[in-house]
Amino acid sequence: MTAVTPDTFYGPSFSSLLERDPDIAGLLVSELDRQRAGLQLIASENQTSPAVLAALGSTLSNKYAEGYPDARYYGGCAEVDKVEKLAIERATSLFQADHANVQPHSGASANLAVYGAFLKPGETILAMSLDHGGHLTHGFKVSFSGKWFNAVHYGVRTDTEDIDYDQMEQLAKEHRPKMICAGGSAIPRLIDFERIRAICDEVGAIMWVDAAHFIGLVAGKVIPSPVPYADVVSFTTHKVLRGPRGGAIVCKDKHAKTIDRAVFPMMQGGPLMHCVAAKAVNFAECATPAYQAYAQQVLDNASALAAGLDELGIRPITGGTDTHLSLHDLRGVGVNGRDAEARCDAAGIVLNKNAIPFDPEKPNIASGIRVGSPSVTTQGMGVEQMQTVAQLIHRAVTETDGTSEHAVAKEIRGQITDLLVSYPAYPDPTAG
Ligand SMILES: *Cc1c(COP(=O)(O)O)cnc(C)c1O
C-alpha cells in the first residue's frame, strides 16, 4: 500500500494528529489500507469524496447551532446559517421536495423524528418485517420503534419473493395504522409507491418512505422517486448517495414545521454542523452528470453481479435486482451465510450474511448473503469486472475454509490485489 502523507485527502490536520496521537493516526491509516485492499461489497457502504471528508474534518464541528437558520439559540451562527441554508436548498432542489431537514445525526435518528412527528406512544405502524428485508427502526422489538409503538408487519410473497401489497392492504384495513412505512435494508426491487399511496389514502395513514438504501439512485435519477407520493421521506446520506455518515428528511410543506420540531428540540440537541456542511457538498456532487452516470453504473453493475452469481448457482432472491443490491440464496451451493461471510472475509471480500425470506436458519447463521455495487462502482469498476467479482465470490464461498492461510484464499487475495491496481479506492494523489 502506498503511504499516506499529510498532503493527501486527510488534509493538513493529519500531521497534527500524527504528532499528538500516533495510536489513533496509525489506526486511521490502517483502516484506509483495509478499505483500499479488499473488495468492498457491503451494500450500505460507499467511499465518500475527499471534498466531503474535508468538510467533515473542519472547525464547523466546534459550533453550537441549536435551532434552525435565522432562529438559533446561540450567537455566532452567521456562517453556519449560510451552510445549513445551502444544504437545505440543495436537498430540496435535488429531490424536488417542498421541505428538507438536514440535521438528523443518522438514519435511525431521522426515523426517530418521523415517529415523534406523527405518532404517540402505543399507536400503530405498518412496516416491512425485518426478516423480509425491513429495518430495526421499523418496529422491531429490540428497537425504540418496537418498544414504544404497536408494530404490525407485512412481508414478501412466497412466489415472487417481492413485497406482498395485497397483504399490506389487508393488514392496513384490519389494523388502521397511523402510518405505513415502505423501504428497508434488503429490498432488491423497485417499490410501488403509487400502490402504497392508494393504501394509505384508503385507511387515512401517513405515508412514510425510508429511502436510506436507495435515495442515491433517486438522486441520480435512475429509479423513480418516492417524493411525489410520500408525506415524508427519511434517508441516510452515506449509502449509495456517497455523502457523510448522517441522515436527512424531506417532506410535504404541510408537515414542515412538525418534522422540524420533531428533529429539534424533540429528539436532538445541537446539529453536527461539520456534517451538515459535508451533506451540502454531497448534494451538490449528486446534482452533476458525473453522479448520474455513476448511479446508472451502480445499477448496471448490481444487475451484472446478481446475474453472474446466478450463473454459478448462487440464486438471487426475486431473480435479480432493480437497485444497487442483491440478496442471494446460498442453499444451492450448500454453504450457510455465516460461513460464506467468514470465507469471503479471509479471501479479501467484504460482504455480509443476510437472512433470506422464509429463512430456515437462525438470523446469526442465515442462508444468504447481501452484496452491493456502490463501492466498487466508485472505484471505477464496470460490468466486465462484475463477472470476475462473481467468480471470486463463488470460489471463496465454495473452495475455501474461512482461514486466511488457505491456499485458495491466498490466491483470491492475489487476484483482488491485481484487480485493484486498475480500480483503486482513494488513489493516492502523490503516487506516480
Ligand atoms: C441504514 C438504514 C437505516 C439506519 O441508518 P443509520 O445511519 O445506521 O442509523 C435506517 N433505515 C434503513 C432502511 C436503512 O437501510
PDB file of all heavy atoms in Angstrom, residues 38-64:
ATOM      1  N   GLY A  38      -9.279  -4.494   0.155  1.00  0.00           N
ATOM      2  CA  GLY A  38     -10.281  -5.538  -0.079  1.00  0.00           C
ATOM      3  C   GLY A  38     -11.251  -5.186  -1.187  1.00  0.00           C
ATOM      4  O   GLY A  38     -11.217  -4.101  -1.754  1.00  0.00           O
ATOM      5  N   LEU A  39     -12.114  -6.157  -1.461  1.00  0.00           N
ATOM      6  CA  LEU A  39     -13.211  -5.937  -2.397  1.00  0.00           C
ATOM      7  C   LEU A  39     -14.418  -5.574  -1.544  1.00  0.00           C
ATOM      8  O   LEU A  39     -14.925  -6.411  -0.802  1.00  0.00           O
ATOM      9  CB  LEU A  39     -13.434  -7.253  -3.153  1.00  0.00           C
ATOM     10  CG  LEU A  39     -14.000  -7.249  -4.544  1.00  0.00           C
ATOM     11  CD1 LEU A  39     -13.337  -6.222  -5.440  1.00  0.00           C
ATOM     12  CD2 LEU A  39     -13.830  -8.642  -5.128  1.00  0.00           C
ATOM     13  N   GLN A  40     -14.844  -4.314  -1.592  1.00  0.00           N
ATOM     14  CA  GLN A  40     -15.869  -3.808  -0.678  1.00  0.00           C
ATOM     15  C   GLN A  40     -17.254  -3.981  -1.293  1.00  0.00           C
ATOM     16  O   GLN A  40     -17.627  -3.231  -2.190  1.00  0.00           O
ATOM     17  CB  GLN A  40     -15.606  -2.331  -0.345  1.00  0.00           C
ATOM     18  CG  GLN A  40     -14.190  -2.017   0.126  1.00  0.00           C
ATOM     19  CD  GLN A  40     -13.828  -2.680   1.448  1.00  0.00           C
ATOM     20  OE1 GLN A  40     -14.697  -3.049   2.245  1.00  0.00           O
ATOM     21  NE2 GLN A  40     -12.537  -2.850   1.684  1.00  0.00           N
ATOM     22  N   LEU A  41     -17.998  -4.957  -0.779  1.00  0.00           N
ATOM     23  CA  LEU A  41     -19.305  -5.259  -1.386  1.00  0.00           C
ATOM     24  C   LEU A  41     -20.458  -5.089  -0.408  1.00  0.00           C
ATOM     25  O   LEU A  41     -21.564  -5.564  -0.650  1.00  0.00           O
ATOM     26  CB  LEU A  41     -19.288  -6.694  -1.931  1.00  0.00           C
ATOM     27  CG  LEU A  41     -18.290  -6.935  -3.075  1.00  0.00           C
ATOM     28  CD1 LEU A  41     -18.210  -8.418  -3.397  1.00  0.00           C
ATOM     29  CD2 LEU A  41     -18.685  -6.151  -4.324  1.00  0.00           C
ATOM     30  N   ILE A  42     -20.230  -4.422   0.714  1.00  0.00           N
ATOM     31  CA  ILE A  42     -21.320  -4.167   1.652  1.00  0.00           C
ATOM     32  C   ILE A  42     -22.247  -3.124   1.018  1.00  0.00           C
ATOM     33  O   ILE A  42     -21.798  -2.029   0.655  1.00  0.00           O
ATOM     34  CB  ILE A  42     -20.774  -3.744   3.026  1.00  0.00           C
ATOM     35  CG1 ILE A  42     -20.004  -4.947   3.605  1.00  0.00           C
ATOM     36  CG2 ILE A  42     -21.914  -3.270   3.942  1.00  0.00           C
ATOM     37  CD1 ILE A  42     -19.596  -4.843   5.031  1.00  0.00           C
ATOM     38  N   ALA A  43     -23.518  -3.502   0.877  1.00  0.00           N
ATOM     39  CA  ALA A  43     -24.454  -2.702   0.074  1.00  0.00           C
ATOM     40  C   ALA A  43     -24.749  -1.334   0.673  1.00  0.00           C
ATOM     41  O   ALA A  43     -25.187  -0.424  -0.028  1.00  0.00           O
ATOM     42  CB  ALA A  43     -25.753  -3.489  -0.121  1.00  0.00           C
ATOM     43  N   SER A  44     -24.514  -1.182   1.989  1.00  0.00           N
ATOM     44  CA  SER A  44     -24.837   0.083   2.651  1.00  0.00           C
ATOM     45  C   SER A  44     -23.617   0.988   2.792  1.00  0.00           C
ATOM     46  O   SER A  44     -23.685   2.025   3.436  1.00  0.00           O
ATOM     47  CB  SER A  44     -25.408  -0.212   4.041  1.00  0.00           C
ATOM     48  OG  SER A  44     -24.556  -1.095   4.735  1.00  0.00           O
ATOM     49  N   GLU A  45     -22.492   0.569   2.199  1.00  0.00           N
ATOM     50  CA  GLU A  45     -21.278   1.375   2.314  1.00  0.00           C
ATOM     51  C   GLU A  45     -20.886   1.975   0.974  1.00  0.00           C
ATOM     52  O   GLU A  45     -21.301   1.510  -0.085  1.00  0.00           O
ATOM     53  CB  GLU A  45     -20.117   0.529   2.870  1.00  0.00           C
ATOM     54  CG  GLU A  45     -20.332   0.139   4.321  1.00  0.00           C
ATOM     55  CD  GLU A  45     -19.176  -0.656   4.925  1.00  0.00           C
ATOM     56  OE1 GLU A  45     -18.210  -0.981   4.196  1.00  0.00           O
ATOM     57  OE2 GLU A  45     -19.250  -0.961   6.114  1.00  0.00           O
ATOM     58  N   ASN A  46     -20.061   3.024   1.071  1.00  0.00           N
ATOM     59  CA  ASN A  46     -19.554   3.679  -0.130  1.00  0.00           C
ATOM     60  C   ASN A  46     -18.268   4.397   0.244  1.00  0.00           C
ATOM     61  O   ASN A  46     -17.844   4.336   1.414  1.00  0.00           O
ATOM     62  CB  ASN A  46     -20.612   4.648  -0.671  1.00  0.00           C
ATOM     63  CG  ASN A  46     -20.517   4.813  -2.182  1.00  0.00           C
ATOM     64  OD1 ASN A  46     -19.470   4.620  -2.784  1.00  0.00           O
ATOM     65  ND2 ASN A  46     -21.617   5.194  -2.793  1.00  0.00           N
ATOM     66  N   GLN A  47     -17.663   5.065  -0.711  1.00  0.00           N
ATOM     67  CA  GLN A  47     -16.420   5.804  -0.437  1.00  0.00           C
ATOM     68  C   GLN A  47     -16.652   7.262  -0.772  1.00  0.00           C
ATOM     69  O   GLN A  47     -16.674   7.656  -1.930  1.00  0.00           O
ATOM     70  CB  GLN A  47     -15.279   5.202  -1.264  1.00  0.00           C
ATOM     71  CG  GLN A  47     -14.927   3.798  -0.774  1.00  0.00           C
ATOM     72  CD  GLN A  47     -14.400   2.896  -1.863  1.00  0.00           C
ATOM     73  OE1 GLN A  47     -14.285   3.283  -3.018  1.00  0.00           O
ATOM     74  NE2 GLN A  47     -14.097   1.669  -1.500  1.00  0.00           N
ATOM     75  N   THR A  48     -16.844   8.060   0.266  1.00  0.00           N
ATOM     76  CA  THR A  48     -17.186   9.462   0.058  1.00  0.00           C
ATOM     77  C   THR A  48     -15.982  10.240  -0.480  1.00  0.00           C
ATOM     78  O   THR A  48     -14.845   9.779  -0.394  1.00  0.00           O
ATOM     79  CB  THR A  48     -17.748  10.058   1.365  1.00  0.00           C
ATOM     80  OG1 THR A  48     -18.438  11.255   1.065  1.00  0.00           O
ATOM     81  CG2 THR A  48     -16.637  10.358   2.368  1.00  0.00           C
ATOM     82  N   SER A  49     -16.248  11.407  -1.037  1.00  0.00           N
ATOM     83  CA  SER A  49     -15.184  12.133  -1.745  1.00  0.00           C
ATOM     84  C   SER A  49     -14.241  12.844  -0.785  1.00  0.00           C
ATOM     85  O   SER A  49     -14.609  13.159   0.353  1.00  0.00           O
ATOM     86  CB  SER A  49     -15.805  13.159  -2.689  1.00  0.00           C
ATOM     87  OG  SER A  49     -16.368  14.216  -1.934  1.00  0.00           O
ATOM     88  N   PRO A  50     -13.027  13.168  -1.244  1.00  0.00           N
ATOM     89  CA  PRO A  50     -12.112  13.976  -0.445  1.00  0.00           C
ATOM     90  C   PRO A  50     -12.741  15.315  -0.042  1.00  0.00           C
ATOM     91  O   PRO A  50     -12.484  15.808   1.060  1.00  0.00           O
ATOM     92  CB  PRO A  50     -10.912  14.183  -1.381  1.00  0.00           C
ATOM     93  CG  PRO A  50     -10.929  12.978  -2.265  1.00  0.00           C
ATOM     94  CD  PRO A  50     -12.387  12.671  -2.481  1.00  0.00           C
ATOM     95  N   ALA A  51     -13.589  15.894  -0.894  1.00  0.00           N
ATOM     96  CA  ALA A  51     -14.238  17.171  -0.561  1.00  0.00           C
ATOM     97  C   ALA A  51     -15.170  17.001   0.642  1.00  0.00           C
ATOM     98  O   ALA A  51     -15.193  17.841   1.554  1.00  0.00           O
ATOM     99  CB  ALA A  51     -15.013  17.687  -1.771  1.00  0.00           C
ATOM    100  N   VAL A  52     -15.916  15.917   0.661  1.00  0.00           N
ATOM    101  CA  VAL A  52     -16.803  15.636   1.799  1.00  0.00           C
ATOM    102  C   VAL A  52     -15.971  15.392   3.063  1.00  0.00           C
ATOM    103  O   VAL A  52     -16.296  15.902   4.146  1.00  0.00           O
ATOM    104  CB  VAL A  52     -17.732  14.434   1.479  1.00  0.00           C
ATOM    105  CG1 VAL A  52     -18.427  13.921   2.737  1.00  0.00           C
ATOM    106  CG2 VAL A  52     -18.767  14.817   0.430  1.00  0.00           C
ATOM    107  N   LEU A  53     -14.871  14.651   2.908  1.00  0.00           N
ATOM    108  CA  LEU A  53     -14.011  14.389   4.066  1.00  0.00           C
ATOM    109  C   LEU A  53     -13.424  15.687   4.620  1.00  0.00           C
ATOM    110  O   LEU A  53     -13.283  15.847   5.834  1.00  0.00           O
ATOM    111  CB  LEU A  53     -12.878  13.428   3.693  1.00  0.00           C
ATOM    112  CG  LEU A  53     -13.298  11.985   3.408  1.00  0.00           C
ATOM    113  CD1 LEU A  53     -12.101  11.168   2.917  1.00  0.00           C
ATOM    114  CD2 LEU A  53     -13.901  11.327   4.640  1.00  0.00           C
ATOM    115  N   ALA A  54     -13.111  16.626   3.746  1.00  0.00           N
ATOM    116  CA  ALA A  54     -12.549  17.904   4.187  1.00  0.00           C
ATOM    117  C   ALA A  54     -13.568  18.663   5.040  1.00  0.00           C
ATOM    118  O   ALA A  54     -13.236  19.208   6.098  1.00  0.00           O
ATOM    119  CB  ALA A  54     -12.122  18.738   2.986  1.00  0.00           C
ATOM    120  N   ALA A  55     -14.831  18.686   4.594  1.00  0.00           N
ATOM    121  CA  ALA A  55     -15.869  19.366   5.377  1.00  0.00           C
ATOM    122  C   ALA A  55     -16.047  18.677   6.733  1.00  0.00           C
ATOM    123  O   ALA A  55     -16.198  19.335   7.764  1.00  0.00           O
ATOM    124  CB  ALA A  55     -17.184  19.386   4.597  1.00  0.00           C
ATOM    125  N   LEU A  56     -15.997  17.352   6.729  1.00  0.00           N
ATOM    126  CA  LEU A  56     -16.161  16.596   7.978  1.00  0.00           C
ATOM    127  C   LEU A  56     -15.045  16.881   8.972  1.00  0.00           C
ATOM    128  O   LEU A  56     -15.257  16.852  10.179  1.00  0.00           O
ATOM    129  CB  LEU A  56     -16.167  15.087   7.681  1.00  0.00           C
ATOM    130  CG  LEU A  56     -17.466  14.487   7.199  1.00  0.00           C
ATOM    131  CD1 LEU A  56     -17.255  13.011   6.881  1.00  0.00           C
ATOM    132  CD2 LEU A  56     -18.566  14.642   8.246  1.00  0.00           C
ATOM    133  N   GLY A  57     -13.864  17.141   8.451  1.00  0.00           N
ATOM    134  CA  GLY A  57     -12.721  17.381   9.331  1.00  0.00           C
ATOM    135  C   GLY A  57     -12.528  18.846   9.654  1.00  0.00           C
ATOM    136  O   GLY A  57     -11.461  19.244  10.076  1.00  0.00           O
ATOM    137  N   SER A  58     -13.582  19.654   9.484  1.00  0.00           N
ATOM    138  CA  SER A  58     -13.436  21.110   9.624  1.00  0.00           C
ATOM    139  C   SER A  58     -13.798  21.624  11.011  1.00  0.00           C
ATOM    140  O   SER A  58     -14.379  20.900  11.832  1.00  0.00           O
ATOM    141  CB  SER A  58     -14.341  21.801   8.596  1.00  0.00           C
ATOM    142  OG  SER A  58     -15.698  21.659   8.990  1.00  0.00           O
ATOM    143  N   THR A  59     -13.508  22.894  11.258  1.00  0.00           N
ATOM    144  CA  THR A  59     -13.796  23.526  12.543  1.00  0.00           C
ATOM    145  C   THR A  59     -15.287  23.816  12.733  1.00  0.00           C
ATOM    146  O   THR A  59     -15.688  24.308  13.794  1.00  0.00           O
ATOM    147  CB  THR A  59     -13.027  24.849  12.681  1.00  0.00           C
ATOM    148  OG1 THR A  59     -13.360  25.681  11.569  1.00  0.00           O
ATOM    149  CG2 THR A  59     -11.524  24.621  12.712  1.00  0.00           C
ATOM    150  N   LEU A  60     -16.111  23.497  11.742  1.00  0.00           N
ATOM    151  CA  LEU A  60     -17.550  23.642  11.963  1.00  0.00           C
ATOM    152  C   LEU A  60     -18.014  22.715  13.090  1.00  0.00           C
ATOM    153  O   LEU A  60     -19.069  22.933  13.690  1.00  0.00           O
ATOM    154  CB  LEU A  60     -18.340  23.351  10.677  1.00  0.00           C
ATOM    155  CG  LEU A  60     -18.646  24.589   9.817  1.00  0.00           C
ATOM    156  CD1 LEU A  60     -17.386  25.169   9.238  1.00  0.00           C
ATOM    157  CD2 LEU A  60     -19.621  24.238   8.714  1.00  0.00           C
ATOM    158  N   SER A  61     -17.220  21.707  13.357  1.00  0.00           N
ATOM    159  CA  SER A  61     -17.518  20.792  14.464  1.00  0.00           C
ATOM    160  C   SER A  61     -17.575  21.537  15.800  1.00  0.00           C
ATOM    161  O   SER A  61     -18.224  21.084  16.746  1.00  0.00           O
ATOM    162  CB  SER A  61     -16.453  19.686  14.511  1.00  0.00           C
ATOM    163  OG  SER A  61     -16.611  18.910  15.661  1.00  0.00           O
ATOM    164  N   ASN A  62     -16.925  22.673  15.884  1.00  0.00           N
ATOM    165  CA  ASN A  62     -16.878  23.421  17.148  1.00  0.00           C
ATOM    166  C   ASN A  62     -18.144  24.209  17.458  1.00  0.00           C
ATOM    167  O   ASN A  62     -18.347  24.642  18.593  1.00  0.00           O
ATOM    168  CB  ASN A  62     -15.724  24.439  17.109  1.00  0.00           C
ATOM    169  CG  ASN A  62     -14.381  23.767  16.933  1.00  0.00           C
ATOM    170  OD1 ASN A  62     -14.229  22.588  17.272  1.00  0.00           O
ATOM    171  ND2 ASN A  62     -13.418  24.488  16.400  1.00  0.00           N
ATOM    172  N   LYS A  63     -18.972  24.415  16.455  1.00  0.00           N
ATOM    173  CA  LYS A  63     -20.043  25.410  16.606  1.00  0.00           C
ATOM    174  C   LYS A  63     -21.349  24.830  17.117  1.00  0.00           C
ATOM    175  O   LYS A  63     -21.878  23.870  16.550  1.00  0.00           O
ATOM    176  CB  LYS A  63     -20.273  26.090  15.245  1.00  0.00           C
ATOM    177  CG  LYS A  63     -21.227  27.264  15.324  1.00  0.00           C
ATOM    178  CD  LYS A  63     -20.600  28.467  16.040  1.00  0.00           C
ATOM    179  CE  LYS A  63     -21.656  29.451  16.533  1.00  0.00           C
ATOM    180  NZ  LYS A  63     -21.999  29.251  17.956  1.00  0.00           N
ATOM    181  N   TYR A  64     -21.887  25.464  18.165  1.00  0.00           N
ATOM    182  CA  TYR A  64     -23.241  25.113  18.628  1.00  0.00           C
ATOM    183  C   TYR A  64     -24.259  25.885  17.821  1.00  0.00           C
ATOM    184  O   TYR A  64     -24.133  27.101  17.657  1.00  0.00           O
ATOM    185  CB  TYR A  64     -23.411  25.456  20.117  1.00  0.00           C
ATOM    186  CG  TYR A  64     -23.662  24.199  20.907  1.00  0.00           C
ATOM    187  CD1 TYR A  64     -22.753  23.714  21.829  1.00  0.00           C
ATOM    188  CD2 TYR A  64     -24.824  23.463  20.667  1.00  0.00           C
ATOM    189  CE1 TYR A  64     -22.976  22.536  22.505  1.00  0.00           C
ATOM    190  CE2 TYR A  64     -25.049  22.276  21.351  1.00  0.00           C
ATOM    191  CZ  TYR A  64     -24.128  21.814  22.262  1.00  0.00           C
ATOM    192  OH  TYR A  64     -24.359  20.646  22.922  1.00  0.00           O
TER     193      TYR A  64
END
